Amino acid sequence: MSYLVQGKKGEQRLFMGNEAIARGALEAGISVAAGYPGTPSSEIIENLAKVSKERHLYVEWSVNEKVALEVAAAASFAGLRALCVMKQNGVNVASDFLLHLAGSGTRAGLVLVPCDDPGALSSVNEGESRHFARLVEIPLLEPGNFQEAKEMVRYAFTLSEELRTLVMVRSVTRLSHASGNVTLGELPPTGSKAYFKHDGFILDQMEGAVISSPVEYKHTLQQERVQKAAELFEESPFNTYCGPPDPEVLLITSSACNLYSKEAVRLLQAESRVGILKMGTTWPLPPRFVERHLRMADTILIVEEVLPFLEESVKILAAELAPTIGVKTFYGKRDGTIPATGEMNPDRVVQGLARVLGIDYQPVSESYAQKALESAFFGAPERDLTFCPGCPHRASFWSIHNALQLDHRQGFVCGDIGCYSLAMRPTGYETLKTLHAMGSGTGVASGFGMLREFGLDQPVLAVSGDSTFFHAVMPALANAAHHGANITVVVLDNSGTAMTGFQPHPGLTVDAAGKAVQALDIRRICEAMGVEVRQCDPFDLAATQAALLELISSRQGPNVLILKQLCALSPERKGKRRFNMHIVETICMGENCGCNRLCTRVFKCPGLIWDKVKKVSRIDDVICAGCGVCASICPAGAIQKEAV
Ligand code: SF4
Ligand code: SF4
């Protein structure tokens, strides 16, 4: 039995933020959970999938975030509480349906948990999901600690049912992935029944058709719900004040910044000068509650991550309240007191707060700072972000890079989101030349592929992972096929959503709960679009390169090359070598080889190391995964493989 459902009410558990969120959903009595994997959100669905049998849940990894929200919404319409989970980029994907759902309203509790990634620790942007709450006019809650992560999710279901609207509970990386003590609540009985009422009066939200029209009427209801949410938030226990009754500075914050702010005040020993107003209900703001606290001080510092979302909301309110609370001086992101990009931490808050308080604060002595700087430069080994040893993507990009070089027409690859995004970097031979959203590689390539009549004669390639193929590449490929875009789409099929932890996708034979399901065949899908499809093993460099050269020479597009090979970390392949590898020292040419050590300087598998003393390359047996690919790249034949 998973520890997520163990323990009695009142007991404490050490939970990761994402586990606390999952537990909150279980305590709320959800029946359905859907999401698309993406760091830092993935563990929520994974943990719910583990308890799906014993808690009678339907849990799925959906094909993309929009579909995930649609699946969860269906449960709500049928009277079942449902949770939908995604990372920040996913909200963009879901936003089309989200806008309509906010208009149609919901029935049983429906909660969307986006996990944002300030600082883009595992993302290609630090987009903000909070703005979507304001854009589509739904309530937004932001937990400030692990206990709140659980409690807020549970409360969000009650709120959703009270207002009959979707409620957003936004987490961030440091909350989702750090751990803290959480006091358990009760798990309700399972066995809810679904029934979709649809033949009542058209304007009856609980019995009529679920639609967002008549638009003006429904939009008015939507805005009334937001006003009611603001009323309810006046008494919310998630909004707290901690500090003196008449602080010199009122620090207003939310989310993980609450923890950083507390730490900063303590470090500056400014407890008697600064009061912290922690907002848990960040949209809509409860006006009377905020007004009471704005009255406490004339200097306000707003601490939050990424965009000045809270800052703007508070300033609008303060402007409206100016006749009664007077003019305030604000500090935050807009004046540069708090950095406008990147993840926050206690040091960054200390710097901003010290400036506002006029404290000359030196976090560490100059000699310590100098020593730390030197250690960082000279003490830590130099490491580039790289593909794992034995990763099929390294072999794929080796072939793609070489094929484009051999072609001589300045061909290029439109990148996509996945482990293979690393091909932007030297470790992937800097092969990717564009990189945007999921599926955009093929979509952008489709655009380039139509520019022949404007003289574009460069080969155009796109890459896509297998999960990404189902997520967003299929419509882009359909577009390319329909319009005859002259492109080659390389599907890097490593049989899993490897980057986020091997969550299943429609190409696989199991679902999130481990049940056997039908696998969809990428090759047949592409063929059904009338596209020429080839398949190669990327570890066979010669055959892959030959196929690529042939496909990019084709004047009729699009075509697809599926490069199928299991991820080196997949459960089926991990720890299983195909070859034992060694380098014959007497043959190795070392620095005289190719571009000055072709294997360690150019191919860059971490399993290959340079012996500085002997001036030859070596295989690091601990790291080498035994894929055998490097034997094909050594021009001297010094790298040898022996079948295991
Ligand atoms: S092992 Fe081969 S590729 Fe590597 S340095 Fe020696 S000769 Fe060059
Ligand atoms: S066989 Fe070569 S390419 Fe494969 S993991 Fe080992 S060192 Fe790396």
Side-chain angles (χ1 to χ4, degrees):
M1 189 197 283
S2 163
Y3 69 99
L4 196 67
V5 291
Q6 288 173 350
K8 292 196 181 72
K9 183 179 175 185
E11 284 181 17
Q12 282 210 334
R13 286 279 181 281
L14 182 69
F15 277 152
M16 185 200 239
N18 280 347
E19 292 166 335
I21 289 167
R23 173 76 193 196
L26 291 173
E27 289 184 11
I30 58 158
S31 298
V32 170
Y36 184 80
T39 311
S41 70
S42 307
E43 297 82 3
I44 302 172
I45 292 288
E46 274 170 4
N47 277 289
L48 291 171
K50 282 184 202 154
V51 299
S52 57
K53 258 199 191 131
E54 58 202 291
R55 293 302 303 164
H56 190 214
L57 306 178
Y58 173 68
V59 182
E60 76 166 41
W61 282 120
S62 305
V63 69
N64 66 32
E65 295 84 352
K66 176 172 176 275
V67 175
L69 188 57
E70 288 158 349
V71 166
S76 163
F77 301 158
L80 301 177
R81 286 188 167 186
L83 180 76
C84 185
V85 182
M86 55 195 63
K87 70 179 291 178
Q88 84 275 7
N89 309 82
V91 187
N92 308 345
V93 178
S95 61
D96 195 2
F97 179 66
L98 181 58
L99 184 62
H100 292 85
L101 181 63
S104 75
T106 56
R107 290 185 182 171
L110 182 58
V111 174
L112 170 63
V113 176
C115 299
D116 286 10
D117 189 14
L121 304 171
S122 319
S123 310
V124 290
N125 63 51
E126 51 176 352
E128 273 250 14
S129 63
R130 292 184 298 177
H131 289 267
F132 281 100
R134 188 153 59 193
L135 176 72
V136 306
E137 300 171 284
I138 56 170
L140 169 68
L141 308 173
E142 291 187 76
N145 59 46
F146 304 95
Q147 183 70 32
E148 273 194 358
K150 179 183 81 84
E151 299 304 337
M152 258 188 197
V153 169
R154 194 171 61 173
Y155 164 70
F157 282 95
T158 313
L159 180 67
S160 169
E161 280 168 13
E162 191 163 348
L163 302 175
R164 301 285 172 215
T165 187
L166 177 71
V167 173
M168 188 187 269
V169 181
R170 178 234 196 194
S171 179
V172 291
T173 305
R174 296 293 164 189
L175 198 71
S176 280
H177 280 176
S179 299
N181 279 355
V182 173
T183 305
L184 302 181
E186 205 144 11
L187 291 175
T190 59
S192 305
K193 292 271 173 283
Y195 185 75
F196 179 41
K197 293 181 189 152
H198 51 70
D199 46 7
F201 177 52
I202 185 84
L203 296 184
D204 183 337
Q205 179 144 350
M206 301 306 286
E207 307 218 336
V210 186
I211 50 175
S212 54
S213 60
V215 173
E216 204 174 331
Y217 170 74
K218 290 284 178 85
H219 195 181
T220 306
L221 284 185
Q222 207 176 323
Q223 296 193 341
E224 283 171 8
R225 290 186 201 121
V226 172
Q227 276 168 14
K228 195 164 171 207
E231 270 310 310
L232 292 168
F233 293 164
E234 293 288 358
E235 304 299 327
S236 173
F238 300 123
N239 301 325
T240 56
Y241 174 76
C242 173
D246 53 349
E248 204 177 306
V249 173
L250 177 69
L251 188 158
I252 306 181
T253 188
S254 66
S255 188
C257 292
N258 169 46
L259 303 172
Y260 310 146
S261 300
K262 280 185 180 169
E263 179 74 359
V265 171
R266 193 186 62 79
L267 285 169
L268 291 174
Q269 298 180 333
E271 289 89 344
S272 60
R273 300 175 66 188
V274 180
I276 299 180
L277 179 63
K278 194 276 291 178
M279 296 303 299
T281 66
T282 41
W283 203 85
L285 287 177
R288 294 192 299 284
F289 177 84
V290 176
E291 179 186 357
R292 273 203 306 281
H293 290 86
L294 285 177
R295 283 180 190 279
M296 296 168 93
D298 287 335
T299 304
I300 317 289
L301 170 65
I302 298 173
V303 178
E304 62 191 313
E305 283 177 308
V306 193
L307 296 172
F309 176 84
L310 185 58
E311 183 175 336
E312 286 170 6
S313 299
V314 171
K315 280 178 174 170
I316 290 170
L317 207 51
E320 288 168 5
L321 295 168
T324 54
I325 64 170
V327 176
K328 305 289 173 185
T329 304
F330 285 95
Y331 296 94
K333 287 178 180 285
R334 290 183 65 87
D335 73 322
T337 304
I338 297 295
T341 57
E343 194 180 35
M344 291 296 289
N345 58 39
D347 288 343
R348 293 182 119 189
V349 184
V350 162
Q351 278 172 21
L353 184 57
R355 199 176 124 192
V356 173
L357 290 171
I359 299 174
D360 188 14
Y361 181 78
Q362 175 92 23
V364 288
S365 70
E366 262 177 51
S367 64
Y368 182 90
Q370 183 61 27
K371 216 170 141 190
L373 196 68
E374 282 167 15
S375 302
F377 267 108
F378 307 115
E382 200 186 316
R383 284 198 190 104
D384 194 8
L385 283 172
T386 186
F387 296 119
C388 305
C391 174
H393 298 333
R394 176 181 289 101
S396 297
F397 283 107
W398 182 262
S399 296
I400 296 171
H401 173 78
N402 286 339
L404 289 174
Q405 296 299 309
L406 286 170
D407 179 84
H408 287 307
R409 284 181 293 158
Q410 287 272 298
F412 56 91
V413 183
C414 300
D416 220 302
I417 308 298
C419 315
Y420 48 90
S421 303
L422 281 174
M424 292 288 290
R425 307 181 72 94
T427 186
Y429 323 114
E430 295 170 346
T431 311
L432 303 187
K433 302 304 178 192
T434 69
L435 182 62
H436 300 88
M438 296 278 287
S440 293
T442 303
V444 170
S446 172
F448 276 121
M450 300 309 296
L451 303 182
R452 296 280 176 239
E453 62 178 281
F454 299 100
L456 188 103
D457 190 33
Q458 297 156 273
V460 180
L461 286 87
V463 285
S464 151
D466 37 334
S467 189
T468 309
F469 179 83
F470 293 109
H471 179 283
V473 168
M474 282 168 61
L477 183 58
N479 189 68
H482 179 65
H483 294 101
N486 199 266
I487 61 171
T488 297
V489 177
V490 183
V491 181
L492 305 168
D493 183 352
N494 61 5
S495 302
T497 320
M499 189 174 177
T500 47
F502 293 101
Q503 293 82 5
H505 60 62
L508 304 176
T509 51
V510 285
D511 69 5
K515 199 174 84 192
V517 285
Q518 188 205 172
L520 307 189
D521 187 330
I522 293 176
R523 179 176 196 138
R524 287 175 62 198
I525 291 170
C526 296
E527 283 170 348
M529 293 189 200
V531 171
E532 183 193 342
V533 184
R534 304 271 187 92
Q535 183 165 321
C536 286
D537 176 352
F539 286 169
D540 185 342
L541 300 179
T544 302
Q545 205 166 290
L548 276 163
L549 275 168
E550 216 178 296
L551 290 173
I552 61 178
S553 303
S554 162
R555 293 266 151 191
Q556 282 179 345
N559 49 43
V560 170
L561 176 64
I562 300 172
L563 293 179
K564 197 169 173 70
Q565 181 57 254
L566 284 173
C567 169
L569 299 180
S570 67
E572 297 91 335
R573 217 187 119 196
K574 197 173 175 187
K576 290 177 199 139
R577 286 162 175 261
R578 298 164 95 196
F579 301 100
N580 284 325
M581 308 296 296
H582 71 277
I583 293 180
V584 183
E585 291 180 7
T586 49
I587 303 180
C588 174
M589 298 185 289
E591 280 160 357
N592 298 323
C593 138
C595 301
N596 194 357
R597 292 192 269 130
L598 193 67
C599 55
T600 52
R601 284 172 54 93
V602 185
F603 186 63
K604 279 180 178 286
C605 174
L608 291 157
I609 46 177
W610 176 240
D611 188 328
K612 283 184 190 154
V613 180
K614 291 188 175 172
K615 303 255 183 245
V616 288
S617 291
R618 283 201 288 115
I619 298 282
D620 184 336
D621 279 328
V622 176
I623 292 176
C624 170
C627 69
V629 173
C630 54
S632 316
I633 62 126
C634 174
I639 306 179
Q640 301 195 349
K641 61 185 186 186
E642 196 184 291
V644 173

